[in-house]
Amino acid sequence: MEQKSKTHETYYFYRTKKEEHSAILRKLKKYIYHIGTARLFVIAGMITTLWLRRNDELSVLIVIAAIFLLLFLVLIVYHAKLHDRRTYEEGYIRLCENELKALDYDFSAFDGAPEHADTQHSFSFDLDLFGENSLFQSVNRTVTQMGREQLINRFKRPSDDKNEILTYQKGTLEISKMHCFRHKFYITGEIISKEKKDIKYLFSEDGDNQKRISDNILFKVMIWLTPAIWALLIAGYMFDIVNTGAIYIYFVVSFLLANLPAKRIQTLHASLGKTENILNTYSTLMEQIEKENFSSIILQTYKQKLNGKKAKKKTSASSAIKRLSRYIGALDQRFSAIGIILNLVYMRDTRQAIGIEKWKSEYSGEMKGWFDALGAIDVFCSFGTFAFNHPDYIYPSISESYFFMEGKGLGHPLLHRDKCVCNDIQIPRSKYFLIITGANMAGKSTYLRTAGVNFVFACMGIPVYAETLTVYPAHLVTSLRTADSLISNESYFFAELKRLKTIIDRLNANERLFIILDEILKGTNSIDKQKGSINLIKQLIKKGSCGIIATHDLLLGTLSATFPDNVYNRRFEADIKNDELIFTYKIRDGIAQNMNATFLMKKMGISGDDE
């Protein structure tokens, strides 16, 4: 009841926010309509007034036109601000709608990074970390390239350091309560989150080997001399000192000068791409971080990284990135009519290119740190949203002893809260294995994944689906759904052997592992399977490892007699009552008593018994 109550509060929060911002959006749309109408009236009023006053002096008409145009310009600026606010409100409503769907286990609005579903990873494929309806998709709310990459790495390589995990827990807890910050961050970045432009090239101080435009003295002089000569010629022409011939000649000269470095500018521009919008958005996100007051050490640390010191002056990352964005934006306009004119008048393209080169020389060394910090805060916003959306989840305790995992009421975060059956787990030390026996469909595989998923979340520093949980952050390795490979002509059995060989090699390298296996040696016959499985478990115990092994083979349960301190039997049963199978999905002590394959075959008429 408490879990449902807390979840209901989360539903209520998003529904209330959606209603509030929908009301604001309706008002904004009315304002925008009225402003659009007012602009038409201003233009109509200007035309009418000028017509009625057409006999006045030209100076009077100019003043009248200027007043109307000034009013029109004010309305345009105000209209643009209202449009930006409308975009924000629409983004907020969309966020609430997507989060409400996510609370009902529909994560389709968010990126699941399906390209990272790797069958060779230690546990990624087995635990459904990536792809549609994946754990990553349920957590991911990143809106920057760097944040997405860092979150992917966090899933693939959870921390094995207790202090780091606890630090991440504190950062996640703090940012989970900062609704306004998280929502504004997400809405601001969502617009450009799907753009795939790569900005990593900006991290290097010299992206190419060509001679820099800013090193050419002629260009550095001409960006100032060209507009000065234009000013003198125009002034001379107004006072009848210079004739039109001189202006035509200088027009040709300035055209040649402006296009002299065109090839180098084009190369520079092509390397930058159209990243003005991305960088401008990143600048806004950085500014939001810079203005926020964080209390946790890790969030403070990332905020401090956005303030760099260069040449005895302190420059915030947001202001520096915004300046770079303006340079690139100006180059993006170089072939427009206004861009061509400005280039002729004061060599605008050359000026912007020099500005970019100087910017990279000054800030490229700090840029990677800035973007790493931005990506880290982006990851914490995802963690904070996950924590907020699951108020019934808990932050686990982290043990210092290898190995320890003990928890009550563990559930799988991708199973609906109303249907998920929670179970306990206890692995008190190393050289210890839980042997899980049970019937088909009784819950063994789900239990393994539940243990693995909550273990990964615990090591990531985010809340877990449990009443209580304590873990030691070992390196997780699983073998739950080994696949054969037609490409490498690799059989299912050989693929599984390779997986097991990798585990043994890592143990021989003294790596501390937490091992989860489902049905060892599935690809061979029963006798071989029994012998091989027993020998493998003995070897794993001898090497001091620990974990969970699920099996249909009840013989493996007898190992507890040989290794009473190292093997503990638990089971999932399929109870048969009134000729029907009943699954409780609750784990019990001991070895399974009932198997259901024959029963199900008979129920479906495929038992093979003679009539």
Side-chain angles (χ1 to χ4, degrees):
M1 290 298 294
E2 182 181 359
Q3 176 180 335
K4 290 184 178 180
S5 176
K6 289 182 178 180
T7 305
H8 178 74
E9 291 176 5
T10 309
Y11 274 106
Y12 178 78
F13 174 86
Y14 285 119
R15 287 187 184 125
T16 303
K17 288 295 182 182
K18 179 183 176 182
E19 291 172 1
E20 290 176 0
H21 288 270
S22 295
I24 294 172
L25 179 61
R26 286 193 293 270
K27 291 181 180 179
L28 282 173
K29 287 182 176 179
K30 290 181 180 179
Y31 291 155
I32 290 171
Y33 174 78
H34 292 322
I35 294 298
T37 304
R39 285 161 57 188
L40 291 176
F41 277 113
V42 168
I43 294 298
M46 182 182 70
I47 295 172
T48 302
T49 303
L50 290 175
W51 172 256
L52 294 175
R53 304 291 297 271
R54 62 186 181 278
N55 295 325
D56 289 353
E57 293 183 5
L58 180 61
S59 59
V60 175
L61 296 178
I62 291 175
V63 170
I64 292 173
I67 293 173
F68 276 99
L69 289 174
L70 179 61
L71 179 58
F72 184 76
L73 181 62
V74 170
L75 290 174
I76 287 178
V77 172
Y78 186 52
H79 184 273
K81 289 183 178 180
L82 289 177
H83 185 273
D84 289 342
R85 285 188 59 192
R86 183 180 73 176
T87 301
Y88 180 84
E89 297 303 328
E90 289 172 341
Y92 207 118
I93 294 168
R94 189 164 54 249
L95 178 150
C96 292
E97 291 174 342
N98 291 337
E99 292 299 353
L100 285 169
K101 290 179 182 178
L103 290 176
D104 288 327
Y105 303 90
D106 178 0
F107 311 113
S108 57
F110 307 108
D111 172 32
E115 71 277 11
H116 288 276
D118 181 9
T119 58
Q120 302 305 310
H121 187 266
S122 297
F123 54 84
S124 167
F125 185 68
D126 288 339
L127 299 185
D128 302 304
L129 290 196
F130 302 103
E132 293 301 314
N133 299 314
S134 64
L135 293 164
F136 182 86
Q137 193 176 33
S138 71
V139 174
N140 179 32
R141 301 294 185 273
T142 58
V143 292
T144 67
Q145 298 174 32
M146 302 74 61
R148 183 179 187 269
E149 291 175 4
Q150 289 187 32
L151 184 59
I152 289 170
N153 290 334
R154 195 78 184 168
F155 266 87
K156 287 184 174 181
R157 289 180 285 277
S159 178
D160 59 1
D161 182 87
K162 176 181 178 179
N163 292 330
E164 181 184 359
I165 294 171
L166 295 178
T167 300
Y168 263 78
Q169 287 184 0
K170 291 177 182 177
T172 299
L173 177 61
E174 178 183 2
I175 212 163
S176 69
K177 300 174 182 178
M178 301 171 63
H179 313 311
C180 293
F181 175 83
R182 286 188 290 104
H183 294 166
K184 185 178 180 181
F185 192 95
Y186 180 84
I187 295 164
T188 301
E190 183 206 14
I191 299 172
I192 53 91
S193 62
K194 293 180 175 60
E195 294 195 30
K196 304 299 183 183
K197 303 250 181 223
D198 188 11
I199 59 171
K200 290 183 179 178
Y201 58 83
L202 294 171
F203 298 162
S204 63
E205 294 191 17
D206 190 8
D208 50 57
N209 296 321
Q210 71 171 0
K211 189 176 180 181
R212 290 156 50 97
I213 298 172
S214 55
D215 293 334
N216 191 304
I217 297 178
L218 173 64
F219 296 146
K220 293 170 71 173
V221 172
M222 291 310 300
I223 61 174
W224 299 107
L225 189 59
T226 297
I229 294 175
W230 270 117
L232 291 174
L233 288 173
I234 293 172
Y237 179 78
M238 293 177 64
F239 291 100
D240 293 328
I241 299 174
V242 175
N243 58 32
T244 55
I247 293 179
Y248 290 148
I249 292 172
Y250 189 66
F251 178 87
V252 175
V253 172
S254 59
F255 177 83
L256 294 173
L257 287 172
N259 286 280
L260 194 60
K263 186 175 180 180
R264 298 185 191 178
I265 293 173
Q266 177 59 34
T267 302
L268 177 64
H269 186 213
S271 71
L272 294 170
K274 294 184 179 295
T275 54
E276 176 196 11
N277 188 35
I278 294 178
L279 292 175
N280 188 54
T281 301
Y282 285 176
S283 171
T284 303
L285 295 175
M286 289 176 178
E287 185 177 12
Q288 185 182 344
I289 297 168
E290 292 163 358
K291 291 180 178 179
E292 195 62 51
N293 293 318
F294 299 110
S295 58
S296 61
I297 294 176
I298 190 166
L299 297 182
Q300 289 178 357
T301 300
Y302 286 125
K303 175 185 173 179
Q304 291 168 0
K305 287 184 178 180
L306 295 179
N307 292 315
K309 292 183 178 180
K310 206 74 173 177
K312 297 182 180 180
K313 65 179 180 180
K314 190 174 183 180
T315 303
S316 68
S318 62
S319 60
I321 297 298
K322 192 174 290 291
R323 179 146 54 95
L324 176 62
S325 173
R326 287 197 293 265
Y327 286 144
I328 296 173
L331 282 186
D332 288 342
Q333 301 170 359
R334 59 194 298 252
F335 293 120
S336 66
I338 188 68
I340 293 171
I341 293 171
L342 291 175
N343 197 32
L344 289 173
V345 172
Y346 80 120
M347 298 186 70
R348 186 195 194 205
D349 294 352
T350 306
R351 190 181 295 269
Q352 304 309 315
I354 290 175
I356 290 172
E357 290 179 347
K358 288 184 176 179
W359 190 99
K360 292 185 70 175
S361 295
E362 187 172 3
Y363 295 113
S364 61
E366 295 183 72
M367 200 169 186
K368 186 179 185 304
W370 289 343
F371 282 121
D372 284 346
L374 175 62
I377 297 296
D378 197 9
V379 169
F380 271 108
C381 284
S382 288
F383 286 174
T385 298
F386 180 79
F388 176 78
N389 287 353
H390 300 88
D392 49 305
Y393 287 17
I394 58 100
Y395 290 90
S397 300
I398 308 301
S399 172
E400 294 182 348
S401 301
Y402 176 76
F403 178 82
F404 189 86
M405 184 172 182
E406 183 176 87
K408 293 183 178 180
L410 271 69
H412 197 294
L414 296 183
L415 292 178
H416 197 286
R417 65 186 70 85
D418 295 336
K419 299 178 180 179
C420 182
V421 177
C422 298
N423 283 291
D424 300 344
I425 188 171
Q426 185 174 29
I427 304 177
R429 56 187 175 274
S430 58
K431 292 188 177 182
Y432 193 96
F433 278 88
L434 292 179
I435 303 295
I436 313 293
T437 53
N440 294 301
M441 305 182 296
K444 299 190 305 299
S445 296
T446 299
Y447 181 80
L448 298 185
R449 290 185 173 86
T450 298
V453 167
N454 283 289
F455 180 84
V456 170
F457 278 10
C459 295
M460 288 170 62
I462 62 177
V464 299
Y465 189 172
E467 296 175 18
T468 63
L469 182 64
T470 302
V471 301
Y472 174 86
H475 295 165
L476 178 64
V477 59
T478 65
S479 182
L480 307 182
R481 46 163 76 123
T482 308
D484 55 4
S485 174
L486 295 176
I487 296 176
S488 60
N489 194 28
E490 186 177 90
S491 70
Y492 183 98
F493 179 64
F494 187 67
E496 187 178 9
L497 286 181
K498 284 177 61 178
R499 188 77 162 189
L500 297 177
K501 175 65 163 56
T502 299
I503 294 174
I504 298 300
D505 289 343
R506 292 174 67 174
L507 290 173
N508 287 337
N510 296 319
E511 191 172 349
R512 291 180 167 181
L513 300 181
F514 174 40
I515 301 168
I516 302 179
L517 306 178
D518 191 5
E519 206 61 51
I520 307 171
L521 304 177
K522 293 181 282 290
T524 188
N525 64 69
S526 298
I527 297 177
D528 266 355
K529 177 181 174 182
Q530 283 184 352
K531 290 181 178 179
S533 298
I534 291 172
N535 289 333
L536 175 65
I537 294 172
K538 289 179 178 179
Q539 188 176 14
L540 294 176
I541 293 172
K542 183 179 180 181
K543 292 185 178 298
S545 61
C546 57
I548 313 172
I549 298 175
T551 181
H552 289 98
D553 193 342
L554 303 184
L555 183 64
L556 297 188
T558 62
L559 285 171
S560 60
T562 307
F563 301 98
D565 295 328
N566 308 110
V567 174
Y568 188 81
N569 290 308
R570 307 206 77 185
R571 60 192 168 107
F572 284 93
E573 292 287 9
D575 299 320
I576 302 175
K577 293 182 180 179
N578 299 324
D579 201 34
E580 294 292 336
L581 276 177
I582 298 176
F583 296 104
T584 64
Y585 304 111
K586 294 296 290 185
I587 199 166
R588 312 175 193 179
D589 290 334
I591 302 173
Q593 303 299 310
N594 300 320
M595 292 297 173
N596 62 9
T598 304
F599 176 84
L600 286 173
M601 291 176 70
K602 287 181 178 180
K603 292 284 286 185
M604 298 178 70
I606 55 174
S607 64
D609 291 342
D610 294 333
E611 295 294 338

